[in-house]
Amino acid sequence: MENIKFNLRGKIIEIPIVELENDEEWYITRLINYDKPNDEGEYKIFEDEEVFMNIIESFRHKTLIISDDKKIDYFFHLADKWCLPKWLFELIKIKKEKKDLLENTMLNILNNPIKLCKLCQTGFNEKENTSNSCKYHPGKFLFHTLKFECCGRTKEEDCCKIGYHLESIESKMKLLSINK
């Protein structure tokens, strides 16, 4: 069985030619069909060996194979550069979008922590705190009358106090003591 040699940043990879034979045209198939190897019988490609092999494996198995999710951005740009078939490029794009969404969500959570309101005892985000975010009753609920002592309203009626959430200093102090 004939092998094709690729020199990837000094690392030699040999791939059986049958593994590269398919109906889809992309950079590697064009390279071996229209170019000749160098004097050492290799095709020199200055790309990451692991990502190169993931692309080859993706073709072999007809699905996206990525051994290191941290390299998805590199994988995405190389897929575009090498004109990978649409089916594979779309799988890579979806994987990259999911990774980007997760990173953005995590950054948003870290940059906009949920705080506890000392008035209504609910969590809130400072950036979304408006003049009608916090709704509460300052008085106790009286079970014998089924009404709040502050305003005489029932649980089904609107709260008598509406305003901005106020961060609970006690909860902030607990968080600080936990993080020591």
Short mmCIF file of all heavy atoms in Angstrom, two decimals, residues 52-106:
data_model
loop_
_atom_site.label_atom_id
_atom_site.label_comp_id
_atom_site.label_asym_id
_atom_site.label_seq_id
_atom_site.Cartn_x
_atom_site.Cartn_y
_atom_site.Cartn_z
N PHE A 52 -4.06 18.68 11.96
CA PHE A 52 -3.99 18.01 10.66
C PHE A 52 -4.57 16.61 10.74
O PHE A 52 -5.42 16.22 9.93
CB PHE A 52 -2.53 17.96 10.18
CG PHE A 52 -2.32 17.19 8.92
CD1 PHE A 52 -2.52 17.77 7.68
CD2 PHE A 52 -1.91 15.86 8.97
CE1 PHE A 52 -2.32 17.05 6.51
CE2 PHE A 52 -1.70 15.13 7.81
CZ PHE A 52 -1.91 15.74 6.57
N MET A 53 -4.15 15.86 11.75
CA MET A 53 -4.65 14.48 11.90
C MET A 53 -6.15 14.47 12.24
O MET A 53 -6.87 13.57 11.80
CB MET A 53 -3.85 13.73 12.96
CG MET A 53 -2.45 13.35 12.51
SD MET A 53 -2.42 12.46 10.93
CE MET A 53 -3.38 11.01 11.30
N ASN A 54 -6.61 15.45 13.01
CA ASN A 54 -8.05 15.53 13.30
C ASN A 54 -8.85 15.74 12.02
O ASN A 54 -9.94 15.16 11.86
CB ASN A 54 -8.34 16.66 14.28
CG ASN A 54 -7.93 16.37 15.70
OD1 ASN A 54 -7.93 17.25 16.55
ND2 ASN A 54 -7.58 15.13 16.00
N ILE A 55 -8.32 16.54 11.10
CA ILE A 55 -9.01 16.75 9.83
C ILE A 55 -9.04 15.45 9.03
O ILE A 55 -10.08 15.07 8.48
CB ILE A 55 -8.36 17.90 9.04
CG1 ILE A 55 -8.63 19.24 9.75
CG2 ILE A 55 -8.87 17.94 7.59
CD1 ILE A 55 -7.89 20.42 9.18
N ILE A 56 -7.92 14.77 8.97
CA ILE A 56 -7.85 13.50 8.25
C ILE A 56 -8.84 12.50 8.87
O ILE A 56 -9.60 11.83 8.17
CB ILE A 56 -6.42 12.92 8.26
CG1 ILE A 56 -5.43 13.86 7.57
CG2 ILE A 56 -6.38 11.52 7.66
CD1 ILE A 56 -5.72 14.15 6.11
N GLU A 57 -8.86 12.40 10.20
CA GLU A 57 -9.78 11.49 10.90
C GLU A 57 -11.24 11.90 10.66
O GLU A 57 -12.12 11.04 10.55
CB GLU A 57 -9.48 11.45 12.40
CG GLU A 57 -8.15 10.82 12.75
CD GLU A 57 -8.05 9.36 12.33
OE1 GLU A 57 -9.05 8.62 12.41
OE2 GLU A 57 -6.95 8.96 11.92
N SER A 58 -11.50 13.19 10.60
CA SER A 58 -12.87 13.65 10.33
C SER A 58 -13.34 13.18 8.97
O SER A 58 -14.49 12.75 8.81
CB SER A 58 -12.93 15.19 10.40
OG SER A 58 -12.66 15.64 11.71
N PHE A 59 -12.45 13.22 7.97
CA PHE A 59 -12.80 12.70 6.65
C PHE A 59 -13.02 11.18 6.70
O PHE A 59 -13.96 10.68 6.10
CB PHE A 59 -11.70 13.02 5.63
CG PHE A 59 -11.87 14.36 4.99
CD1 PHE A 59 -11.10 15.43 5.39
CD2 PHE A 59 -12.82 14.56 3.98
CE1 PHE A 59 -11.26 16.68 4.79
CE2 PHE A 59 -12.99 15.79 3.38
CZ PHE A 59 -12.21 16.86 3.79
N ARG A 60 -12.14 10.49 7.39
CA ARG A 60 -12.25 9.03 7.47
C ARG A 60 -13.57 8.59 8.08
O ARG A 60 -14.19 7.63 7.64
CB ARG A 60 -11.11 8.45 8.32
CG ARG A 60 -9.77 8.46 7.62
CD ARG A 60 -8.68 7.82 8.46
NE ARG A 60 -8.98 6.40 8.67
CZ ARG A 60 -8.89 5.78 9.83
NH1 ARG A 60 -8.51 6.41 10.91
NH2 ARG A 60 -9.16 4.49 9.94
N HIS A 61 -14.01 9.29 9.13
CA HIS A 61 -15.20 8.89 9.87
C HIS A 61 -16.45 9.67 9.50
O HIS A 61 -17.52 9.44 10.07
CB HIS A 61 -14.93 9.00 11.38
CG HIS A 61 -13.81 8.12 11.84
ND1 HIS A 61 -13.95 6.76 11.95
CD2 HIS A 61 -12.53 8.41 12.18
CE1 HIS A 61 -12.80 6.24 12.36
NE2 HIS A 61 -11.92 7.22 12.49
N LYS A 62 -16.29 10.63 8.60
CA LYS A 62 -17.41 11.46 8.12
C LYS A 62 -18.15 12.18 9.26
O LYS A 62 -19.36 12.30 9.27
CB LYS A 62 -18.41 10.62 7.31
CG LYS A 62 -17.83 10.03 6.05
CD LYS A 62 -17.60 11.11 5.03
CE LYS A 62 -17.13 10.51 3.72
NZ LYS A 62 -16.17 11.32 3.03
N THR A 63 -17.37 12.61 10.24
CA THR A 63 -17.90 13.40 11.34
C THR A 63 -16.75 14.23 11.90
O THR A 63 -15.58 13.95 11.63
CB THR A 63 -18.53 12.52 12.44
OG1 THR A 63 -19.22 13.37 13.36
CG2 THR A 63 -17.50 11.68 13.17
N LEU A 64 -17.07 15.22 12.69
CA LEU A 64 -16.03 16.09 13.25
C LEU A 64 -15.27 15.38 14.36
O LEU A 64 -15.88 14.87 15.31
CB LEU A 64 -16.65 17.38 13.78
CG LEU A 64 -15.70 18.38 14.41
CD1 LEU A 64 -14.65 18.85 13.40
CD2 LEU A 64 -16.46 19.57 14.97
N ILE A 65 -13.95 15.32 14.23
CA ILE A 65 -13.08 14.74 15.25
C ILE A 65 -12.14 15.85 15.71
O ILE A 65 -11.36 16.38 14.93
CB ILE A 65 -12.23 13.58 14.67
CG1 ILE A 65 -13.08 12.51 14.00
CG2 ILE A 65 -11.30 13.00 15.74
CD1 ILE A 65 -13.88 11.65 14.93
N ILE A 66 -12.25 16.21 16.98
CA ILE A 66 -11.35 17.21 17.57
C ILE A 66 -10.85 16.64 18.89
O ILE A 66 -11.62 16.42 19.81
CB ILE A 66 -12.04 18.56 17.82
CG1 ILE A 66 -12.52 19.16 16.50
CG2 ILE A 66 -11.11 19.52 18.53
CD1 ILE A 66 -13.19 20.50 16.65
N SER A 67 -9.54 16.41 18.96
CA SER A 67 -8.98 15.83 20.18
C SER A 67 -8.70 16.86 21.27
O SER A 67 -8.58 16.51 22.43
CB SER A 67 -7.71 15.05 19.87
OG SER A 67 -6.79 15.87 19.19
N ASP A 68 -8.62 18.14 20.88
CA ASP A 68 -8.36 19.19 21.86
C ASP A 68 -9.28 20.37 21.55
O ASP A 68 -9.02 21.15 20.64
CB ASP A 68 -6.89 19.62 21.79
CG ASP A 68 -6.51 20.63 22.87
OD1 ASP A 68 -7.42 21.11 23.59
OD2 ASP A 68 -5.32 20.95 22.99
N ASP A 69 -10.36 20.49 22.33
CA ASP A 69 -11.34 21.55 22.10
C ASP A 69 -10.74 22.95 22.20
O ASP A 69 -11.29 23.90 21.64
CB ASP A 69 -12.50 21.43 23.08
CG ASP A 69 -13.46 20.31 22.72
OD1 ASP A 69 -13.36 19.79 21.60
OD2 ASP A 69 -14.30 19.95 23.57
N LYS A 70 -9.60 23.08 22.89
CA LYS A 70 -8.97 24.39 23.02
C LYS A 70 -8.44 24.90 21.68
O LYS A 70 -8.19 26.07 21.52
CB LYS A 70 -7.85 24.35 24.05
CG LYS A 70 -8.35 24.17 25.47
CD LYS A 70 -7.20 24.12 26.44
CE LYS A 70 -7.27 22.81 27.16
NZ LYS A 70 -6.09 22.30 27.71
N LYS A 71 -8.27 23.99 20.73
CA LYS A 71 -7.73 24.37 19.42
C LYS A 71 -8.82 24.65 18.39
O LYS A 71 -8.54 24.77 17.21
CB LYS A 71 -6.81 23.27 18.89
CG LYS A 71 -5.55 23.10 19.72
CD LYS A 71 -4.62 22.09 19.10
CE LYS A 71 -3.34 21.98 19.93
NZ LYS A 71 -2.38 21.08 19.32
N ILE A 72 -10.07 24.80 18.82
CA ILE A 72 -11.17 24.97 17.88
C ILE A 72 -11.02 26.24 17.05
O ILE A 72 -11.37 26.25 15.87
CB ILE A 72 -12.56 24.91 18.58
CG1 ILE A 72 -13.70 24.89 17.55
CG2 ILE A 72 -12.74 26.05 19.55
CD1 ILE A 72 -13.74 23.69 16.67
N ASP A 73 -10.51 27.32 17.62
CA ASP A 73 -10.33 28.54 16.84
C ASP A 73 -9.31 28.32 15.71
O ASP A 73 -9.54 28.72 14.57
CB ASP A 73 -9.87 29.70 17.73
CG ASP A 73 -10.96 30.14 18.70
OD1 ASP A 73 -12.15 30.14 18.29
OD2 ASP A 73 -10.64 30.47 19.85
N TYR A 74 -8.22 27.68 16.04
CA TYR A 74 -7.20 27.34 15.04
C TYR A 74 -7.80 26.42 13.99
O TYR A 74 -7.62 26.61 12.78
CB TYR A 74 -6.00 26.69 15.74
CG TYR A 74 -4.91 26.21 14.82
CD1 TYR A 74 -4.08 27.11 14.16
CD2 TYR A 74 -4.69 24.85 14.63
CE1 TYR A 74 -3.07 26.66 13.32
CE2 TYR A 74 -3.69 24.40 13.79
CZ TYR A 74 -2.88 25.31 13.14
OH TYR A 74 -1.89 24.86 12.30
N PHE A 75 -8.53 25.42 14.44
CA PHE A 75 -9.19 24.46 13.57
C PHE A 75 -10.12 25.19 12.60
O PHE A 75 -10.13 24.92 11.39
CB PHE A 75 -10.00 23.49 14.44
CG PHE A 75 -10.20 22.12 13.87
CD1 PHE A 75 -9.53 21.03 14.38
CD2 PHE A 75 -11.10 21.91 12.84
CE1 PHE A 75 -9.74 19.75 13.88
CE2 PHE A 75 -11.32 20.65 12.33
CZ PHE A 75 -10.64 19.57 12.85
N PHE A 76 -10.90 26.12 13.13
CA PHE A 76 -11.87 26.89 12.33
C PHE A 76 -11.16 27.68 11.22
O PHE A 76 -11.57 27.65 10.06
CB PHE A 76 -12.65 27.83 13.25
CG PHE A 76 -13.62 28.72 12.53
CD1 PHE A 76 -14.85 28.23 12.11
CD2 PHE A 76 -13.31 30.05 12.29
CE1 PHE A 76 -15.75 29.05 11.45
CE2 PHE A 76 -14.20 30.87 11.63
CZ PHE A 76 -15.44 30.37 11.21
N HIS A 77 -10.09 28.37 11.58
CA HIS A 77 -9.38 29.19 10.59
C HIS A 77 -8.66 28.32 9.55
O HIS A 77 -8.61 28.68 8.37
CB HIS A 77 -8.41 30.16 11.28
CG HIS A 77 -9.13 31.18 12.09
ND1 HIS A 77 -9.94 32.15 11.53
CD2 HIS A 77 -9.20 31.37 13.43
CE1 HIS A 77 -10.47 32.90 12.48
NE2 HIS A 77 -10.03 32.45 13.64
N LEU A 78 -8.13 27.20 9.98
CA LEU A 78 -7.47 26.29 9.04
C LEU A 78 -8.51 25.67 8.09
O LEU A 78 -8.24 25.52 6.90
CB LEU A 78 -6.71 25.20 9.79
CG LEU A 78 -5.85 24.28 8.93
CD1 LEU A 78 -4.81 25.07 8.15
CD2 LEU A 78 -5.18 23.22 9.79
N ALA A 79 -9.68 25.36 8.60
CA ALA A 79 -10.75 24.81 7.75
C ALA A 79 -11.13 25.79 6.65
O ALA A 79 -11.35 25.40 5.51
CB ALA A 79 -11.96 24.46 8.61
N ASP A 80 -11.18 27.06 7.01
CA ASP A 80 -11.49 28.09 6.02
C ASP A 80 -10.35 28.22 5.01
O ASP A 80 -10.57 28.26 3.81
CB ASP A 80 -11.74 29.42 6.74
CG ASP A 80 -12.19 30.51 5.80
OD1 ASP A 80 -13.04 30.23 4.93
OD2 ASP A 80 -11.70 31.65 5.93
N LYS A 81 -9.13 28.26 5.50
CA LYS A 81 -7.95 28.39 4.65
C LYS A 81 -7.82 27.22 3.68
O LYS A 81 -7.47 27.39 2.52
CB LYS A 81 -6.70 28.49 5.54
CG LYS A 81 -5.39 28.56 4.81
CD LYS A 81 -4.24 28.61 5.82
CE LYS A 81 -2.91 28.42 5.17
NZ LYS A 81 -1.82 28.39 6.14
N TRP A 82 -8.11 26.03 4.15
CA TRP A 82 -7.95 24.82 3.34
C TRP A 82 -9.19 24.47 2.52
O TRP A 82 -9.24 23.45 1.86
CB TRP A 82 -7.58 23.64 4.22
CG TRP A 82 -6.14 23.61 4.62
CD1 TRP A 82 -5.18 24.55 4.38
CD2 TRP A 82 -5.49 22.57 5.34
NE1 TRP A 82 -3.98 24.17 4.91
CE2 TRP A 82 -4.14 22.95 5.51
CE3 TRP A 82 -5.91 21.37 5.87
CZ2 TRP A 82 -3.22 22.16 6.16
CZ3 TRP A 82 -4.99 20.59 6.53
CH2 TRP A 82 -3.65 20.97 6.67
N CYS A 83 -10.21 25.31 2.58
CA CYS A 83 -11.45 25.09 1.80
C CYS A 83 -12.03 23.71 2.05
O CYS A 83 -12.33 22.95 1.12
CB CYS A 83 -11.19 25.29 0.30
SG CYS A 83 -10.54 26.91 -0.10
N LEU A 84 -12.19 23.38 3.32
CA LEU A 84 -12.79 22.09 3.66
C LEU A 84 -14.23 22.05 3.15
O LEU A 84 -14.87 23.09 3.02
CB LEU A 84 -12.77 21.86 5.17
CG LEU A 84 -11.41 21.65 5.82
CD1 LEU A 84 -11.56 21.32 7.29
CD2 LEU A 84 -10.59 20.59 5.13
N PRO A 85 -14.73 20.87 2.86
CA PRO A 85 -16.12 20.76 2.36
C PRO A 85 -17.11 21.39 3.34
O PRO A 85 -16.88 21.43 4.54
CB PRO A 85 -16.34 19.25 2.26
CG PRO A 85 -14.99 18.65 2.21
CD PRO A 85 -14.08 19.56 2.96
N LYS A 86 -18.21 21.83 2.77
CA LYS A 86 -19.21 22.55 3.57
C LYS A 86 -19.69 21.75 4.78
O LYS A 86 -19.86 22.30 5.86
CB LYS A 86 -20.38 22.93 2.67
CG LYS A 86 -21.37 23.82 3.34
CD LYS A 86 -22.44 24.31 2.40
CE LYS A 86 -23.37 25.22 3.20
NZ LYS A 86 -24.18 26.04 2.39
N TRP A 87 -19.91 20.44 4.62
CA TRP A 87 -20.44 19.63 5.73
C TRP A 87 -19.50 19.67 6.92
O TRP A 87 -19.94 19.79 8.06
CB TRP A 87 -20.71 18.19 5.30
CG TRP A 87 -19.49 17.37 4.96
CD1 TRP A 87 -18.95 17.19 3.73
CD2 TRP A 87 -18.68 16.61 5.87
NE1 TRP A 87 -17.84 16.38 3.81
CE2 TRP A 87 -17.65 16.01 5.11
CE3 TRP A 87 -18.71 16.38 7.24
CZ2 TRP A 87 -16.67 15.20 5.67
CZ3 TRP A 87 -17.73 15.57 7.80
CH2 TRP A 87 -16.73 14.99 7.03
N LEU A 88 -18.19 19.60 6.66
CA LEU A 88 -17.22 19.60 7.75
C LEU A 88 -17.03 21.01 8.32
O LEU A 88 -16.97 21.20 9.53
CB LEU A 88 -15.87 19.03 7.27
CG LEU A 88 -14.79 18.86 8.32
CD1 LEU A 88 -15.28 18.07 9.53
CD2 LEU A 88 -13.57 18.18 7.72
N PHE A 89 -17.00 22.00 7.44
CA PHE A 89 -16.86 23.38 7.89
C PHE A 89 -18.04 23.77 8.78
O PHE A 89 -17.85 24.44 9.81
CB PHE A 89 -16.73 24.33 6.70
CG PHE A 89 -16.40 25.73 7.11
CD1 PHE A 89 -15.10 26.06 7.47
CD2 PHE A 89 -17.37 26.70 7.16
CE1 PHE A 89 -14.78 27.35 7.87
CE2 PHE A 89 -17.07 27.99 7.56
CZ PHE A 89 -15.76 28.32 7.91
N GLU A 90 -19.24 23.35 8.43
CA GLU A 90 -20.42 23.67 9.25
C GLU A 90 -20.34 23.02 10.63
O GLU A 90 -20.71 23.64 11.63
CB GLU A 90 -21.71 23.24 8.54
CG GLU A 90 -22.08 24.13 7.37
CD GLU A 90 -22.29 25.59 7.75
OE1 GLU A 90 -22.96 25.86 8.77
OE2 GLU A 90 -21.78 26.47 7.03
N LEU A 91 -19.86 21.79 10.72
CA LEU A 91 -19.70 21.13 12.02
C LEU A 91 -18.68 21.87 12.88
O LEU A 91 -18.88 22.04 14.09
CB LEU A 91 -19.26 19.67 11.83
CG LEU A 91 -20.30 18.72 11.22
CD1 LEU A 91 -19.67 17.35 10.95
CD2 LEU A 91 -21.51 18.59 12.14
N ILE A 92 -17.60 22.32 12.26
CA ILE A 92 -16.57 23.08 12.98
C ILE A 92 -17.15 24.41 13.45
O ILE A 92 -16.94 24.83 14.60
CB ILE A 92 -15.34 23.31 12.08
CG1 ILE A 92 -14.68 21.96 11.75
CG2 ILE A 92 -14.34 24.25 12.74
CD1 ILE A 92 -13.68 22.03 10.60
N LYS A 93 -17.89 25.06 12.58
CA LYS A 93 -18.50 26.36 12.90
C LYS A 93 -19.45 26.24 14.09
O LYS A 93 -19.42 27.06 15.01
CB LYS A 93 -19.23 26.89 11.67
CG LYS A 93 -19.79 28.26 11.82
CD LYS A 93 -20.42 28.69 10.51
CE LYS A 93 -21.22 29.95 10.70
NZ LYS A 93 -21.97 30.30 9.49
N ILE A 94 -20.27 25.19 14.10
CA ILE A 94 -21.21 24.97 15.21
C ILE A 94 -20.45 24.75 16.52
O ILE A 94 -20.78 25.31 17.56
CB ILE A 94 -22.15 23.78 14.90
CG1 ILE A 94 -23.11 24.15 13.79
CG2 ILE A 94 -22.89 23.31 16.15
CD1 ILE A 94 -23.86 22.98 13.19
N LYS A 95 -19.40 23.93 16.46
CA LYS A 95 -18.57 23.67 17.66
C LYS A 95 -17.94 24.96 18.18
O LYS A 95 -17.93 25.22 19.37
CB LYS A 95 -17.50 22.63 17.29
CG LYS A 95 -16.61 22.23 18.42
CD LYS A 95 -17.14 21.02 19.08
CE LYS A 95 -16.09 20.48 20.04
NZ LYS A 95 -16.66 19.50 20.93
N LYS A 96 -17.43 25.78 17.27
CA LYS A 96 -16.80 27.05 17.65
C LYS A 96 -17.84 28.01 18.25
O LYS A 96 -17.58 28.67 19.25
CB LYS A 96 -16.13 27.70 16.45
CG LYS A 96 -15.43 29.01 16.78
CD LYS A 96 -14.77 29.60 15.58
CE LYS A 96 -14.15 30.95 15.77
NZ LYS A 96 -14.41 31.70 16.95
N GLU A 97 -19.03 28.07 17.66
CA GLU A 97 -20.08 28.95 18.19
C GLU A 97 -20.48 28.54 19.60
O GLU A 97 -20.71 29.39 20.46
CB GLU A 97 -21.29 28.96 17.25
CG GLU A 97 -21.03 29.73 15.97
CD GLU A 97 -22.12 29.56 14.92
OE1 GLU A 97 -23.03 28.70 15.09
OE2 GLU A 97 -22.05 30.27 13.90
N LYS A 98 -20.58 27.23 19.84
CA LYS A 98 -20.92 26.74 21.19
C LYS A 98 -19.84 27.13 22.19
O LYS A 98 -20.13 27.54 23.31
CB LYS A 98 -21.11 25.22 21.18
CG LYS A 98 -22.40 24.77 20.56
CD LYS A 98 -22.53 23.26 20.58
CE LYS A 98 -23.80 22.79 19.93
NZ LYS A 98 -23.90 21.34 19.86
N LYS A 99 -18.57 26.97 21.79
CA LYS A 99 -17.46 27.34 22.67
C LYS A 99 -17.48 28.84 22.97
O LYS A 99 -17.34 29.26 24.12
CB LYS A 99 -16.13 26.96 22.03
CG LYS A 99 -14.91 27.37 22.84
CD LYS A 99 -13.66 27.33 21.96
CE LYS A 99 -12.63 28.28 22.42
NZ LYS A 99 -12.64 29.59 21.84
N ASP A 100 -17.70 29.64 21.93
CA ASP A 100 -17.74 31.10 22.11
C ASP A 100 -18.89 31.51 23.02
O ASP A 100 -18.73 32.37 23.88
CB ASP A 100 -17.85 31.81 20.76
CG ASP A 100 -16.59 31.68 19.92
OD1 ASP A 100 -15.53 31.28 20.46
OD2 ASP A 100 -16.66 31.98 18.71
N LEU A 101 -20.05 30.88 22.85
CA LEU A 101 -21.21 31.19 23.68
C LEU A 101 -20.93 30.85 25.14
O LEU A 101 -21.22 31.63 26.04
CB LEU A 101 -22.44 30.43 23.18
CG LEU A 101 -23.72 30.63 23.99
CD1 LEU A 101 -24.17 32.09 23.91
CD2 LEU A 101 -24.82 29.72 23.48
N LEU A 102 -20.33 29.69 25.38
CA LEU A 102 -20.00 29.29 26.74
C LEU A 102 -19.01 30.26 27.37
O LEU A 102 -19.19 30.68 28.52
CB LEU A 102 -19.43 27.87 26.75
CG LEU A 102 -19.00 27.32 28.10
CD1 LEU A 102 -20.19 27.21 29.04
CD2 LEU A 102 -18.33 25.97 27.94
N GLU A 103 -17.98 30.64 26.62
CA GLU A 103 -16.99 31.59 27.15
C GLU A 103 -17.63 32.94 27.47
O GLU A 103 -17.36 33.52 28.52
CB GLU A 103 -15.85 31.79 26.15
CG GLU A 103 -14.87 30.66 26.14
CD GLU A 103 -13.76 30.85 25.10
OE1 GLU A 103 -13.75 31.88 24.39
OE2 GLU A 103 -12.91 29.96 25.01
N ASN A 104 -18.49 33.43 26.58
CA ASN A 104 -19.16 34.72 26.80
C ASN A 104 -20.09 34.65 28.00
O ASN A 104 -20.18 35.60 28.77
CB ASN A 104 -19.91 35.16 25.54
CG ASN A 104 -18.98 35.57 24.44
OD1 ASN A 104 -17.84 35.96 24.67
ND2 ASN A 104 -19.44 35.48 23.20
N THR A 105 -20.79 33.52 28.16
CA THR A 105 -21.69 33.35 29.30
C THR A 105 -20.89 33.34 30.60
O THR A 105 -21.27 33.99 31.58
CB THR A 105 -22.49 32.04 29.16
OG1 THR A 105 -23.22 32.10 27.94
CG2 THR A 105 -23.44 31.85 30.31
N MET A 106 -19.78 32.64 30.60
CA MET A 106 -18.95 32.57 31.80
C MET A 106 -18.37 33.95 32.14
O MET A 106 -18.35 34.36 33.30
CB MET A 106 -17.83 31.54 31.62
CG MET A 106 -18.36 30.12 31.62
SD MET A 106 -17.15 28.87 31.20
CE MET A 106 -15.96 29.02 32.51
#
